[in-house]
């Protein structure tokens, strides 16, 4: 096996691992959010069904995928953003699947179509932002201030 094909095999293995992890995370979150929406009183169920909360799933998946990519030796920057966008998109599909299974029969076709189109796009955007929040420098520091699971007060050893 050549060095190129060995590298390609490792890269595809990382992509499959990222896809499986993001989908699994999205499915678990989707199940929890769908159950919460169904079981909570109306005032609280609104929170479980809000798209802002769903988008956090994409953001966290993007941060996780970038951290995973960095730990496996990938470079920061554009590769992280694309990896994060991919993970966020896949995680949002995972969130949507349980919701669609439960709610699609009683929801208007236009609302279902809206979620099928807008949901994955929002997941990709939030995933890219989550991945970029792990980047060093000014851009990473400003995004970390808004990312869950990070500390904006964390001292940085890098200059912008």
């Amino acid at each position: 096996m050549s060095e190129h094909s060995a590298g390609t095999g490792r890269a595809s293995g990382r992509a499959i691992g990222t896809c499986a992890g993001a989908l699994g995370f999205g499915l678990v979150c989707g199940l929890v959010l769908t159950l919460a929406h169904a079981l909570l009183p109306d005032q609280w169920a609104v929170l479980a069904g809000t798209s802002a909360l769903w988008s956090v799933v994409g953001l966290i998946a993007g941060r996780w995928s970038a951290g995973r990519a960095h730990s496996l030796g990938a470079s920061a920057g554009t590769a992280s953003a694309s990896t994060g966008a991919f993970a966020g998109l896949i995680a949002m599909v995972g969130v949507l699947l349980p919701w669609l299974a439960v709610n699609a029969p009683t929801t208007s076709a236009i609302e279902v179509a809206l979620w099928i189109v807008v949901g994955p796009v929002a997941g990709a955007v939030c995933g890219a932002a989550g991945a970029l929040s792990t980047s060093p420098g000014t851009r990473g520091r400003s995004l970390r201030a808004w990312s869950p699971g990070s500390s904006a007060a964390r001292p940085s050893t890098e200059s912008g």
Side-chain angles (χ1 to χ4, degrees):
M1 182 187 301
S2 72
E3 187 176 313
H4 174 72
S5 62
T8 302
R10 283 191 298 271
S12 65
R14 286 192 299 262
I16 291 170
T18 298
C19 182
L23 183 61
F25 177 66
L27 283 170
V28 168
C29 291
L31 286 170
V32 169
L33 291 170
T34 301
L35 283 172
H37 190 263
L39 299 175
L40 290 172
D42 288 341
Q43 303 89 321
W44 292 101
V46 171
L47 291 175
T50 182
S51 60
L53 184 58
W54 289 24
S55 296
V56 171
V57 174
L59 187 76
I60 292 170
R63 283 184 59 85
W64 166 78
S65 69
R68 184 173 189 277
H70 294 306
S71 71
L72 294 172
S75 61
T78 305
S80 291
S82 61
T83 300
F86 177 70
L89 184 145
I90 296 297
M92 186 59 77
V93 168
V95 169
L96 285 170
L97 289 174
W99 183 84
L100 287 170
V102 171
N103 295 306
T106 59
T107 304
S108 71
I110 192 76
E111 187 176 350
V112 170
L114 175 80
W115 278 110
I116 288 173
V117 172
V118 173
V121 172
V125 170
C126 292
L132 289 172
S133 72
T134 66
S135 300
T138 305
R139 177 179 58 196
R141 277 194 304 276
S142 63
L143 285 168
R144 278 191 298 276
W146 297 99
S147 297
S150 68
S151 172
R154 186 179 337 174
S156 176
T157 58
E158 303 193 27
S159 59

